Amino acid sequence: MGREASTGAVAPPATQRYLVFALGGVDYAIDATYVRRLLTHAPGPGSDVRFLGERYPFLDLRALFGLPEQPGGDSLAVLVEAGEERAALLVDRSVDLVPLDGSAFLPVPGRFAGRERQWFRGLAPVQGRLVPVLAAEGILQR
Amino acid sequence: MSAVDAVPPRLRRPTDDAVVVFAVGDRRFAVPPGRVVEIGRITAFTPLPSTDSANLGVGLYRGRAVALVDVARRFGADGSDPAVPSSAPPWLCVFLTTDTGVEGLPVDAVLGFEPAAGVRAAGIPILEPAPQEAREWP
């Protein structure tokens, strides 16, 4: 990842760093080990990003999640890589890089039985609310 | 942690066939009390993308992630007009046992027990009983 905040603290083994980003007024998290780069000037839909010789096809998360389009405004591209799959995820903004304990994630309720089940690893309890944690492999499979 | 709102206090069912009536806006719905696990308040709501338009998102309640659903779209006919509180969370919720586990229905108010016959006569939809009634969180 291009930049990483250093806290000087040693994280416990069960804790990983997650990139929290905002999309449509909701905070989502993704394991930072899948994140290769953040681009503050995101390309438009239909574009590809090239980074270190690799191609990252643009993936509009708003469209994937069925959210309303955002008229104008700045956006951020999160370059993610999972195995052989890569994509530039278009999000609204980066929020923070936080340590989360994966063992504390709650399962997505069974009511969510469609394609969305492959998009999320679980739900992270953070300060009394739930933050959806993306499953990088599932997202990249669309 | 979400606080359980004292709404309403413990009620005595007037008749054996009484149902619990609740309101969302100016619409009324009813449910057999055997399907009600709890009535409480969700303080934080997170929208979650879903292919099912009845799914609103999730809430944290008693340490669990609970699906919050639009009562009209969940139990009504396809294309039902949505029935969701007009105010922002925190929401009062009726937690029901269903075939997919416990679900929360955000409501504006719980009105109490009414005889089922009268509720039907008033045209208020009554949610069907679950195959297995349970009063406890799984």
Side-chain angles (χ1 to χ4, degrees):
Chain A
M1 197 174 159
R3 294 190 187 84
E4 185 169 288
S6 173
T7 63
V10 176
T15 300
Q16 297 269 25
R17 291 187 179 231
Y18 286 75
L19 171 69
V20 177
F21 61 86
L23 181 69
V26 178
D27 287 350
Y28 296 87
I30 185 169
D31 190 331
T33 58
Y34 294 104
V35 180
R36 293 294 170 263
R37 185 82 174 182
L38 302 182
L39 296 179
T40 55
H41 297 287
S47 305
D48 288 352
V49 173
R50 285 205 169 270
F51 177 65
L52 296 180
E54 299 291 349
R55 186 174 69 92
Y56 292 77
F58 176 83
L59 177 57
D60 187 347
L61 281 183
R62 278 180 176 271
L64 183 66
F65 290 171
L67 301 177
E69 291 185 7
Q70 178 185 11
D74 294 331
S75 56
L76 181 75
V78 180
L79 304 190
V80 297
E81 182 175 333
E84 296 300 316
E85 299 293 329
R86 299 178 186 83
L89 308 182
L90 189 65
V91 304
D92 293 343
R93 60 185 177 86
S94 171
V95 175
D96 207 348
L97 187 64
V98 299
L100 294 177
D101 180 1
S103 66
F105 292 174
L106 300 174
V108 174
R111 262 301 296 170
F112 295 84
R115 293 173 59 203
E116 63 268 24
R117 287 211 78 81
Q118 72 182 47
W119 295 339
F120 301 105
R121 271 184 57 186
L123 301 164
V126 178
Q127 297 177 339
R129 62 190 174 97
L130 294 171
V131 175
V133 182
L134 297 189
E137 296 87 348
I139 288 288
L140 296 182
Q141 290 175 4
R142 275 63 169 176
Chain B
M1 186 171 185
S2 303
V4 175
D5 195 48
V7 176
R10 192 176 181 85
L11 298 175
R12 180 182 304 172
R13 291 171 59 177
T15 61
D16 287 342
D17 70 338
V19 293
V20 179
V21 181
F22 52 92
V24 183
D26 58 1
R27 299 164 71 177
R28 302 289 183 265
F29 302 87
V31 59
R35 290 195 70 181
V36 178
V37 176
E38 189 170 344
I39 297 172
R41 196 170 290 274
I42 288 279
T43 56
F45 162 68
T46 300
L48 196 68
S50 176
T51 53
D52 189 331
S53 64
N55 292 340
L56 300 173
V58 290
L60 185 61
Y61 192 75
R62 294 195 180 282
R64 302 163 188 260
V66 180
L68 302 182
V69 298
D70 176 325
V71 59
R73 289 183 167 174
R74 174 68 171 94
F75 297 104
D78 288 341
S80 296
D81 290 335
V84 183
S86 57
S87 60
W91 284 333
L92 181 67
C93 283
V94 176
F95 295 99
L96 301 182
T97 181
T98 72
D99 53 356
T100 59
V102 177
E103 299 172 10
L105 308 178
V107 303
D108 285 308
V110 176
L111 304 178
F113 289 108
E114 296 292 337
V119 169
R120 290 193 189 92
I124 297 173
I126 300 178
L127 311 183
E128 293 302 317
Q132 294 180 348
E133 294 190 350
R135 286 182 170 275
E136 297 178 354
W137 292 87

